[in-house]
Amino acid sequence: MSHKVHPIGYRLGINTSWRSRWFAAKGYQQKLREDIAVRAYLTKKLRGAGLERVEIERTSDKLSVIIHTSRPGIVIGRSGTGSESLTKGIERKLPNTAPRGEKSTSQVRLEVREVRNPESFAALVGLSIAEQLERRMPFRMVMKRSMERILANKEVLGARIAAAGRLGGADMARREWIQEGRLPRNTLRSNIDFCI
């Protein structure tokens, strides 16, 4: 029996870094739950905004949320109204640890960064494939077009796309995949991006 290891966790410290950067001697569980709640909230709110990843940094009284997205205009909104509503929503997810009657001491700072070349990020490609499959487009055509767009980018050396389930409305579920180019998954040095 083989053991399944998360591909990002396996490469931490080698060619990938942590998505949350903070240290807690006390209250680790509470802060971890807050991180999960913030990520779930942002993933739900920014479904159509091309969300690639969310990074969280903490100091003693500040919480910095860095959103990497391919469509920053949708996240920020007109004259910054979108980012303000996101900040208020994140503050609602955090518990008020201040004494009764006082405001919460933790400050939330939101930073939006644009992702250049969205075809070179697995999360964005997976999101676009999922959106096309939801619109009932033929899965083989979607996979081939996505592969062409990925390999048109000079930064990408190879890619693999897999789709599983009742493909094409068939009664029996199955798995189909296509792969082109170099994709050395066994080496830790290779910079491979995953979308699960």
Side-chain angles (χ1 to χ4, degrees):
M1 292 285 293
S2 63
H3 296 282
K4 288 188 174 133
V5 180
H6 196 280
I8 295 169
Y10 193 47
R11 288 169 172 81
L12 278 173
I14 298 166
N15 61 6
T16 55
S17 61
W18 294 93
R19 301 278 165 100
S20 293
R21 291 183 287 277
W22 50 270
F23 176 79
K26 293 179 183 176
Y28 175 82
Q29 290 178 343
Q30 179 65 33
K31 289 181 179 174
L32 184 62
R33 283 193 190 105
E34 289 174 10
D35 282 9
I36 292 169
V38 166
R39 279 204 176 88
Y41 169 74
L42 289 173
T43 305
K44 187 177 178 184
K45 282 292 264 190
L46 303 175
R47 182 160 166 76
L51 184 69
E52 199 267 314
R53 72 177 181 271
V54 176
E55 294 180 356
I56 297 174
E57 294 178 351
R58 290 178 188 261
T59 58
S60 58
D61 60 340
K62 290 181 183 173
L63 175 75
S64 297
V65 180
I66 304 163
I67 299 172
H68 296 266
T69 177
S70 63
R71 301 174 194 151
I74 296 173
V75 177
I76 296 168
R78 287 195 178 175
S79 66
T81 55
S83 59
E84 289 172 9
S85 67
L86 283 177
T87 305
K88 288 177 185 171
I90 291 170
E91 285 173 351
R92 280 195 298 270
K93 293 288 175 191
L94 302 176
N96 191 359
T97 54
R100 243 194 165 142
E102 294 181 24
K103 279 191 167 182
S104 176
T105 53
S106 66
Q107 298 173 341
V108 176
R109 189 176 69 84
L110 196 70
E111 186 180 334
V112 180
R113 294 185 184 166
E114 185 180 3
V115 172
R116 309 264 181 208
N117 298 335
E119 289 82 27
S120 61
F121 292 95
L124 297 174
V125 172
L127 191 66
S128 73
I129 290 173
E131 287 172 355
Q132 291 175 50
L133 291 176
E134 284 173 0
R135 287 185 304 215
R136 306 239 182 224
M137 293 180 73
F139 72 94
R140 277 196 189 92
M141 186 180 74
V142 168
M143 288 167 64
K144 284 178 184 174
R145 279 189 186 166
S146 300
M147 184 64 76
E148 288 170 5
R149 277 189 290 132
I150 291 168
L151 295 177
N153 189 355
K154 298 298 178 195
E155 295 175 8
V156 179
L157 301 176
R160 177 185 167 123
I161 299 173
R166 294 180 54 193
L167 300 172
D171 289 338
M172 190 73 119
R174 67 183 193 275
R175 174 181 292 267
E176 296 260 339
W177 57 272
I178 57 171
Q179 178 175 336
E180 287 187 32
R182 271 187 73 242
L183 200 65
R185 287 175 290 169
N186 302 7
T187 18
L188 294 178
R189 288 182 311 233
S190 57
N191 187 13
I192 298 177
D193 194 12
F194 291 88
C195 174
I196 300 169

